[in-house]
Amino acid sequence: MRTNSGEADPRYRALLELLRAADTIWDVSRVFFSRWDLSPSQFNVLNLLRLTRGGLSQTGLSEQLIMHRSNVTGLVDRLEKRGLVARRDAAGDRRAYNVVLTAAGAALLKEILPRYYRGAQAAWRHVPTRRASEITNELRQLAANARQIAGSRDYKNGGLDYDTRA
């Protein structure tokens, strides 16, 4: 059986491993957050709101979370029903509102975050801190490259001619 020569490229293999790792981490996260009856996406909303004074609009949340606004609406609805977030009128715009973390949401995060941080450290335990920083920069570059490719006219037209030089 012949394989495409691109399959042997270490960068292709690295991309596959990155995707496998992301899927595995997402699955492990589902199990981790289930003890608090949260999904990883719900946790991400809570954690983002914790870091944002004054809250965020649903559009702002969808941009930060890289998900469609309609998906954010469902997440916010479920979190609001549990009293973990609240919608507040946005200053200067009667049609808009900001989503804010409630005291109950902050208390839940205070319980979760120490365990979450320990889990993140354990996941990286064999990777030196300096290397983790380098990987972060490499992943940012990978994402920027992917956005550039996705925005190209050739890509949108099904073209596959890209400069792959390092």
Side-chain angles (χ1 to χ4, degrees), residues 17-18 21-22 25 116-140:
E17 289 306 318
L18 173 65
I25 291 166
Y116 180 72
Y117 292 141
R118 282 193 303 271
Q121 289 173 346
W124 286 97
R125 73 176 164 258
H126 296 298
V127 179
T129 302
R130 181 171 169 221
R131 181 66 188 124
S133 294
E134 292 168 352
I135 291 169
T136 299
N137 291 333
E138 291 163 4
L139 290 172
R140 285 184 180 137

Side-chain angles (χ1 to χ4, degrees), residues 88-154:
R88 302 278 187 251
D89 291 334
D93 188 347
R94 291 182 303 162
R95 298 168 298 152
Y97 54 86
N98 282 337
V99 181
V100 297
L101 189 65
T102 64
L108 182 61
L109 282 175
K110 190 174 180 180
E111 179 184 340
I112 295 171
L113 284 173
R115 295 174 189 178
Y116 180 72
Y117 292 141
R118 282 193 303 271
Q121 289 173 346
W124 286 97
R125 73 176 164 258
H126 296 298
V127 179
T129 302
R130 181 171 169 221
R131 181 66 188 124
S133 294
E134 292 168 352
I135 291 169
T136 299
N137 291 333
E138 291 163 4
L139 290 172
R140 285 184 180 137
Q141 184 61 59
L142 177 66
N145 292 348
R147 282 190 298 274
Q148 183 180 13
I149 292 166
S152 76
R153 186 174 29 152
D154 287 340

